[in-house]
Amino acid sequence: MDNGLPCSLLIASDGLDSALARMLEIIRVPETTVEVVSDSGEGAQKCGQIFGSVCAKMGNGAWTVEIIPAEIQPPPRTPAGGSGNRIRFGTEEITNWGDAANLVVAFNEQVLLGRIELDALAHDAIVLLENMWKTHADETIQKEWEGGLEKIRAAGYYKIVEVPMEEECLKIVDDARRGKNMFALGLLTCIYDRDVELVKAQIAHQFRKKGKDIYERNVELMELGYKWASKNLDFRIDVPTVRSDVPKVVMNGNEAIGMGAIAAGMQLCAMYPITPATSASHYLGEAYDKFGGVVHQAEDEIAAVGVAIGASYAGKVAFTITSGPGLSLKQEFIGLAVMLEVPLVVVDVQRGGPSTGLPTKAEQSDLMAAMFGQHGDAPHVVMAPATIEECFHIMVTARRIAETFRTTVIVLSDANLATGVQPFPRPKLDTRWLQTPLNLTPWPENKPPYDWDEQTGLSQRVIPGQPGGEFAATGLSHTSWSKVAYDPESHQQGCQMRSRKLAVLQQALQPPEIYGVDSGDLPVVGSGSPKGTIEEVVDRALAEYGDLLLVGWGSTKGAIEEAVDRARAEGLSVSSIHLSFLSPLPPGLEMIFCRFDRVMTVEINYSDEPDDPYISEENRRYSQLAFLLRAQTLVDVDCWSRVPGQPLRPGEILNAVRQRLRTGVMV
Amino acid sequence: MTHYGQSLLGCGMIDDRHFEMEDYQGTIARWCPGCGDHSILTAMQRLLEEEQLKPENTVFVSGIGCSSRFPHYMKTYGFHGLHGRALPVATGIKLERPELHLFVAMGDGDCCSIGASHWLHATRYNMDMLAVLLDNNMYGLTKGQTSPTTPQKFPSNTQPSGTYLRALNPISATLGVTNASFVAQTAEWIPPHLFETLKVAYRHKGFSFVRILQRCPVYTASIFEEAVRDPDLIELLIHDDGVWVKDLDQIYGHTFYHDPRDLNTARALAEPSDRLRLGIFYRNEDVPVYEEIRRLPSYTADERVRTLNQELDRYAV
Ligand SMILES: Cc1ncc(C[n+]2csc(CCOP(=O)(O)OP(=O)(O)O)c2C)c(N)n1
């Protein structure tokens, strides 16, 4: 037994097992955050994914985030090379990745340092650290270990437990690098008292494409880790689970998008590989076989969107999925789809930009590109899912809107949702979500291919195969008969008809719900007759709903709402709204904004801070949603945004809120 | 054409419509007088008539350029899209609706410059469609800029002292692509050859690539002038399995009996020579067609929902 443990976690001898059982410290918490980090290639991500799924399946609320190095093969044992997973789970629903990890399993001290540098650990975190480096044959590595440990100890009051992972795994496998992840899974399974059968089932799922012996080896390693932990660790952590009556499923956002596309009846996904969008097409590549669908890997992103448009033009709505650089390439075609009124769904799983930027990291900086990236006036719909669950349902909505409004719908997901895993209520599938079979009945004589309703701009779609409907769709300015026309009236009318559709959609949307404000206080927005005497109604209508309203969109919802909860618990008067529709914006925004002293967007894209050097009211660059909201509502909307290459933490947002309310720095 | 009633179609009744050439004529073509595109349009309309293609099941896809106005002049479905991007759109249409008769019209800038990668990949996908390259050796619509197929030294508005580079050879290029299954060359000023070539190309199952040498009276009149006047400058590739318009032998004395299955000879013949070679360079009926490789069984809505529910089971908590 290694006695080098810095804390009282060591166990003197095997004979004390029973005594230990009596000494076990069981820490019960409502929620906790675990990280597993290794060099890339050592499989910490698989370990984390399995552990996260098991937690969800046992009935914990959970949210997992991948820790990804930017390169595929970063140098081993470097702080920047850490790869793995963060799993935050609790008794109640978990909506974001939280602030800091309470327990970390690290495969070497350098990747652990990387996490510490990023402020990812709670100051009292428990650290389970592979200790093979301490006695490594290479002296430089030994030195690194010593230096590393010194830094680690200086950084916090961590409980460091050295774990002989290598030594243990070598009992079963020749190459321990390929086994430690399952050993680590065993450690976690024991510490958090997870259902071993479920763990095995998840291992089986994870390695379903591999042979039976691989599965068995992995289970053996997991059990070895479990045994080591039960013998050597004197604490257990209990995060009570609750079985909910609502059946749930657990998956990541890209799988949800893929499944949502199937549920929406979209049978063609045309794409070109790009992180972090690609995994959706991996999922579909496998799943589509069972549904009669096709993932077409095109020669580039331009061709991919062209294929999707061709397919949509000729029949059912198809979609393309990409990330920032690919979105840039698709813009000309998106403008064409808008002009031709061919329904189209474009999914952009955003990553850090500009240029190649941060290929694996979350950012929300494509909003402007999605809205305005096309040349000319190309009105279309832009939506953003806020949760994994919404990733699924948004595809059904997007397809329906694209078809009903004969337009393009851009769906803005991001790397956080793409790789994050969260349980959500199992969708109750409906055959009506699917597309109806093609209608090839004759097209009425004298009915133009763009039979625009003058009021709404809406028109019925005609597709090849319909006798009498023959027309040449054209990207040139055209009349309702699709005849090329350069005269002022025709172009004015075409632009108007395409634009009008957005106004019609906007009127069908609901005002956003305010989070934080008690529902009884909700301002009267939209329809419905107000209750009470005239005085009461007027009072209510003029009432202030708080000091600060946060406005978010996309994957930040959970973190923003948690920050609101914590701020309110501190007595701060803060609420939030979260927008699913960015184009058109939902109704009621200005009315809601007016009830708050201040309005501030919270986003993962760049903005100037008001007190930055050279920054003045005149030149401050706002974050992207703030820019839009200011233009649309004429309200002096402020913003707080960061581009950390990772999801926002609720604690960070809370700090920003405190600071804004204290300093009152508003522009 | 006999008029169908609302009741005729979609009820399994016999469709006995007969189509005349004018049934395929869209709006009046607005190309310049003397433009070779007129003759190609006529040949195409004749082809549709000969094949009795139903206008509603026929789609013409194009890019942007003078030649890409093609779909407007056909009374079929049409898609006049983006410069260089006709082929991806056609790919999508064919994947979704393999039963449609699909035609693609491209200019030389369209196909060989901005759309070159799609051209290469469409050749490799080998989907069943007829792609015609209306090659006037120049950018027409944008008024006389050098194109990849402009002959070296020929002046243009962007290279007024003469085009610097040797011209790209679309026939050799296509023949070099894996899965090329049909490659032919013809000239719009020899209508019988043009028509026959289009017909054989249309009947080929797979990606039929036909380069049509096309006069532009405004910018490249002189390039083809001699070949138009002097039949001696033309060599016809003939074969029982190729294009062999018997009467043309009287005018064009130079013929070469070339078996279109012979790829090596095709590649040699594609190299520049003293004469313009017209005919089928290569045809291979055995290359798999992408839309068939990717064809999957279709399922009912109930089946889909059932399968998706099974899929959700795998992810159930
Ligand atoms: C993205 C883009 N770039 C450039 C153009 C301008 N443009 C239109 S047609 C054309 C070239 C036309 O030449 P070609 O393809 O040979 O066809 P032709 O007009 O000779 O038939 C160009 C450069 C465009 N429409 N779109």
Side-chain angles (χ1 to χ4, degrees), chain A residues 56-57 59 242-249 389 423-428, chain B residues 316-317:
Chain A
K57 291 197 171 201
V242 270
R243 281 248 154 248
S244 88
D245 300 336
V246 187
K248 286 189 175 166
V249 286
E389 179 180 18
F424 61 86
R426 179 181 174 128
K428 293 195 186 70
Chain B
V317 164

Short mmCIF file of all heavy atoms in Angstrom, two decimals, chain A residues 56-57 59 242-249 389 423-428, chain B residues 316-317:
data_model
loop_
_atom_site.label_atom_id
_atom_site.label_comp_id
_atom_site.label_asym_id
_atom_site.label_seq_id
_atom_site.Cartn_x
_atom_site.Cartn_y
_atom_site.Cartn_z
N ALA A 56 -28.03 9.97 -15.52
CA ALA A 56 -29.33 10.36 -16.04
C ALA A 56 -30.31 9.19 -15.97
O ALA A 56 -31.46 9.35 -15.56
CB ALA A 56 -29.19 10.84 -17.48
N LYS A 57 -29.82 8.03 -16.33
CA LYS A 57 -30.70 6.88 -16.35
C LYS A 57 -31.14 6.47 -14.95
O LYS A 57 -32.20 5.87 -14.76
CB LYS A 57 -30.04 5.70 -17.07
CG LYS A 57 -29.88 5.98 -18.56
CD LYS A 57 -29.61 4.75 -19.39
CE LYS A 57 -29.71 5.17 -20.85
NZ LYS A 57 -29.95 4.10 -21.77
N GLY A 59 -31.93 8.54 -12.75
CA GLY A 59 -32.94 9.49 -12.30
C GLY A 59 -32.37 10.81 -11.78
O GLY A 59 -33.11 11.64 -11.26
N VAL A 242 -34.24 10.77 -7.92
CA VAL A 242 -35.70 10.64 -7.82
C VAL A 242 -36.21 10.05 -9.13
O VAL A 242 -35.82 10.52 -10.21
CB VAL A 242 -36.42 12.00 -7.60
CG1 VAL A 242 -36.57 12.28 -6.13
CG2 VAL A 242 -35.70 13.13 -8.30
N ARG A 243 -37.00 9.06 -9.00
CA ARG A 243 -37.59 8.48 -10.20
C ARG A 243 -38.75 9.38 -10.61
O ARG A 243 -39.66 9.61 -9.84
CB ARG A 243 -38.09 7.07 -9.91
CG ARG A 243 -37.00 6.06 -9.91
CD ARG A 243 -37.14 5.10 -11.10
NE ARG A 243 -35.84 4.56 -11.47
CZ ARG A 243 -35.23 4.84 -12.61
NH1 ARG A 243 -35.76 5.66 -13.49
NH2 ARG A 243 -34.05 4.32 -12.89
N SER A 244 -38.69 9.91 -11.80
CA SER A 244 -39.82 10.76 -12.19
C SER A 244 -40.83 9.92 -12.94
O SER A 244 -40.50 8.88 -13.50
CB SER A 244 -39.33 11.91 -13.07
OG SER A 244 -39.30 11.52 -14.41
N ASP A 245 -42.07 10.37 -12.91
CA ASP A 245 -43.13 9.64 -13.61
C ASP A 245 -43.05 9.89 -15.10
O ASP A 245 -43.57 9.12 -15.90
CB ASP A 245 -44.51 10.11 -13.10
CG ASP A 245 -44.64 9.86 -11.61
OD1 ASP A 245 -43.93 8.96 -11.11
OD2 ASP A 245 -45.42 10.58 -10.95
N VAL A 246 -42.42 10.99 -15.44
CA VAL A 246 -42.33 11.34 -16.86
C VAL A 246 -41.23 10.49 -17.50
O VAL A 246 -40.09 10.54 -17.06
CB VAL A 246 -41.96 12.83 -17.02
CG1 VAL A 246 -42.02 13.24 -18.49
CG2 VAL A 246 -42.85 13.68 -16.16
N PRO A 247 -41.55 9.72 -18.52
CA PRO A 247 -40.48 8.97 -19.17
C PRO A 247 -39.49 9.93 -19.82
O PRO A 247 -39.88 10.96 -20.39
CB PRO A 247 -41.19 8.13 -20.23
CG PRO A 247 -42.56 8.68 -20.34
CD PRO A 247 -42.86 9.51 -19.14
N LYS A 248 -38.21 9.60 -19.70
CA LYS A 248 -37.20 10.51 -20.23
C LYS A 248 -36.24 9.79 -21.16
O LYS A 248 -36.09 8.58 -21.11
CB LYS A 248 -36.41 11.13 -19.08
CG LYS A 248 -37.22 12.18 -18.34
CD LYS A 248 -36.37 12.93 -17.36
CE LYS A 248 -37.21 14.06 -16.73
NZ LYS A 248 -36.59 14.63 -15.57
N VAL A 249 -35.60 10.58 -21.98
CA VAL A 249 -34.52 10.06 -22.82
C VAL A 249 -33.30 10.92 -22.55
O VAL A 249 -33.41 12.04 -22.09
CB VAL A 249 -34.88 10.11 -24.33
CG1 VAL A 249 -35.88 9.03 -24.68
CG2 VAL A 249 -35.38 11.48 -24.74
N GLU A 389 -33.36 19.24 -25.34
CA GLU A 389 -34.73 18.91 -25.71
C GLU A 389 -35.19 19.76 -26.89
O GLU A 389 -35.80 19.28 -27.85
CB GLU A 389 -35.66 19.12 -24.52
CG GLU A 389 -37.12 18.82 -24.82
CD GLU A 389 -38.02 19.03 -23.62
OE1 GLU A 389 -37.60 19.72 -22.67
OE2 GLU A 389 -39.15 18.51 -23.63
N PRO A 423 -30.81 14.67 -19.84
CA PRO A 423 -32.07 13.94 -19.98
C PRO A 423 -33.22 14.91 -20.18
O PRO A 423 -33.19 16.03 -19.66
CB PRO A 423 -32.20 13.20 -18.65
CG PRO A 423 -31.32 13.91 -17.69
CD PRO A 423 -30.31 14.70 -18.45
N PHE A 424 -34.20 14.50 -20.94
CA PHE A 424 -35.39 15.35 -21.13
C PHE A 424 -36.60 14.46 -21.39
O PHE A 424 -36.45 13.30 -21.75
CB PHE A 424 -35.16 16.37 -22.25
CG PHE A 424 -34.90 15.78 -23.62
CD1 PHE A 424 -35.96 15.44 -24.46
CD2 PHE A 424 -33.60 15.57 -24.07
CE1 PHE A 424 -35.71 14.91 -25.73
CE2 PHE A 424 -33.35 15.05 -25.33
CZ PHE A 424 -34.41 14.71 -26.17
N PRO A 425 -37.79 15.02 -21.19
CA PRO A 425 -38.99 14.22 -21.38
C PRO A 425 -39.05 13.60 -22.76
O PRO A 425 -38.78 14.27 -23.76
CB PRO A 425 -40.13 15.22 -21.18
CG PRO A 425 -39.54 16.31 -20.37
CD PRO A 425 -38.10 16.39 -20.76
N ARG A 426 -39.35 12.34 -22.81
CA ARG A 426 -39.37 11.63 -24.07
C ARG A 426 -40.41 12.24 -25.00
O ARG A 426 -41.58 12.39 -24.64
CB ARG A 426 -39.71 10.17 -23.79
CG ARG A 426 -39.80 9.32 -25.02
CD ARG A 426 -40.17 7.88 -24.64
NE ARG A 426 -40.39 7.13 -25.84
CZ ARG A 426 -39.80 5.97 -26.11
NH1 ARG A 426 -38.99 5.43 -25.24
NH2 ARG A 426 -40.06 5.35 -27.24
N PRO A 427 -40.01 12.64 -26.21
CA PRO A 427 -40.99 13.23 -27.13
C PRO A 427 -42.11 12.25 -27.45
O PRO A 427 -41.85 11.06 -27.64
CB PRO A 427 -40.16 13.53 -28.38
CG PRO A 427 -38.75 13.51 -27.95
CD PRO A 427 -38.66 12.58 -26.79
N LYS A 428 -43.32 12.78 -27.46
CA LYS A 428 -44.46 11.94 -27.86
C LYS A 428 -44.64 12.11 -29.35
O LYS A 428 -45.25 13.06 -29.82
CB LYS A 428 -45.72 12.38 -27.12
CG LYS A 428 -45.65 12.13 -25.63
CD LYS A 428 -47.06 12.23 -25.02
CE LYS A 428 -47.00 12.14 -23.49
NZ LYS A 428 -46.39 13.33 -22.85
N ALA B 316 -33.62 5.71 -23.71
CA ALA B 316 -34.54 5.94 -22.60
C ALA B 316 -33.80 5.93 -21.27
O ALA B 316 -32.84 5.19 -21.09
CB ALA B 316 -35.63 4.89 -22.62
N VAL B 317 -34.26 6.74 -20.36
CA VAL B 317 -33.69 6.80 -19.02
C VAL B 317 -34.29 5.68 -18.18
O VAL B 317 -35.51 5.53 -18.18
CB VAL B 317 -33.99 8.17 -18.39
CG1 VAL B 317 -33.78 8.14 -16.90
CG2 VAL B 317 -33.12 9.24 -19.03
#
